[in-house]
Amino acid sequence: MADLKAFAEQLVNLTVKEVNELAQILKDEYGIEPAAAVAAAGPAASGDAPAAAEEKSTFDVILKEAGGAKLAVVKLVKDLTGLGLKEAKDLVDGAPKEIKTGVSKDEAEALKKQLEEAGAVVEIK
């Protein structure tokens, strides 16, 4: 039991960059899509889907397209996500893609505003 508590402590203290690296490892080596698993588990855990929709507290920021200023969007995505330049470029090139998941409404709106100012088309779900 102590090992699980130590593991949970490590997970809670991960940086954004480390979480992104962990998600990539889970995807590449084990075929697990962490964001999809969280989204699927959300409504099931609440037990009442309509109530959960009304009380939604976490949001996903989705890059629909880079727009005309692709380089500015790539740089901003790199800064916002902690990804390397190549990974950020791949993410932008692969749009529509999730930039951040499970963020507060205020953070999602702020990210959307920043990305739109850089020329991107963004959606919040």
Side-chain angles (χ1 to χ4, degrees), residues 65-77 80 111-122:
E65 61 182 74
K70 182 178 167 185
L71 182 58
V73 173
V74 169
K75 287 180 180 179
L76 184 57
V77 166
L80 293 174
L111 291 170
K112 180 179 180 184
K113 182 179 178 188
Q114 287 179 304
L115 288 161
E116 287 178 343
E117 286 174 356
V121 177
V122 181

Side-chain angles (χ1 to χ4, degrees), residues 4-125:
L4 290 177
K5 286 189 180 215
F7 179 65
E9 182 75 24
Q10 288 176 328
L11 285 175
V12 169
N13 291 319
L14 290 176
T15 65
V16 172
K17 185 176 181 179
E18 291 168 332
V19 169
N20 285 330
E21 289 175 12
L22 175 60
Q24 194 64 41
I25 291 168
L26 290 172
K27 180 180 176 184
D28 293 346
E29 293 184 19
Y30 300 101
I32 299 171
E33 291 281 346
V38 171
S46 71
D48 189 8
E54 292 172 15
E55 299 173 12
K56 186 170 183 173
S57 61
T58 60
F59 299 85
D60 299 337
V61 180
I62 309 209
L63 175 70
K64 299 299 271 179
E65 61 182 74
K70 182 178 167 185
L71 182 58
V73 173
V74 169
K75 287 180 180 179
L76 184 57
V77 166
K78 176 185 174 291
D79 292 340
L80 293 174
T81 62
L83 294 173
L85 187 59
K86 181 182 180 336
E87 291 83 6
K89 181 184 178 300
D90 291 344
L91 191 149
V92 171
D93 287 342
K97 287 276 189 174
E98 293 176 338
I99 300 293
K100 288 218 175 180
T101 59
V103 297
S104 69
K105 184 174 183 174
D106 292 338
E107 184 179 355
E109 291 292 338
L111 291 170
K112 180 179 180 184
K113 182 179 178 188
Q114 287 179 304
L115 288 161
E116 287 178 343
E117 286 174 356
V121 177
V122 181
E123 176 183 11
I124 297 177
K125 287 189 176 182

